[in-house]
Amino acid sequence: MPPSTREDVILQLDRVDTALEAPEADKAAILREALDWLAEHPPKVAADALYYRERLEVIRRRHGAA
């Protein structure tokens, strides 16, 4: 699988954020899947992976996920 681009990373974070907004969302499962996505789609630029993890943490806190 080709490495993900910065745009792919940003789009995936947006999908995660949107999914967590649903009242019936399984937040733990969504966040696990988000980390799995990163493992399966490593970014071309290592800094993008760090950005993804940091933004994912901010999203997790904003939605009160464990």
Side-chain angles (χ1 to χ4, degrees):
M1 188 167 289
S4 60
T5 64
R6 183 166 291 148
E7 183 176 316
D8 295 332
V9 168
I10 292 169
L11 288 172
Q12 181 62 17
L13 287 167
D14 187 51
R15 288 182 194 114
V16 170
D17 196 21
T18 300
L20 289 171
E21 290 175 358
E24 71 281 354
D26 182 347
K27 294 178 181 181
I30 292 168
L31 291 169
R32 273 193 309 274
E33 290 170 7
L35 290 173
D36 291 345
W37 181 90
L38 180 62
E40 294 169 4
H41 303 88
K44 290 181 190 178
V45 180
D48 290 344
L50 178 60
Y51 173 79
Y52 182 88
R53 286 187 188 96
E54 288 177 350
R55 292 299 305 157
L56 194 58
E57 179 63 19
V58 170
I59 291 167
R60 182 191 69 75
R61 287 182 190 163
R62 184 173 56 236
H63 291 284

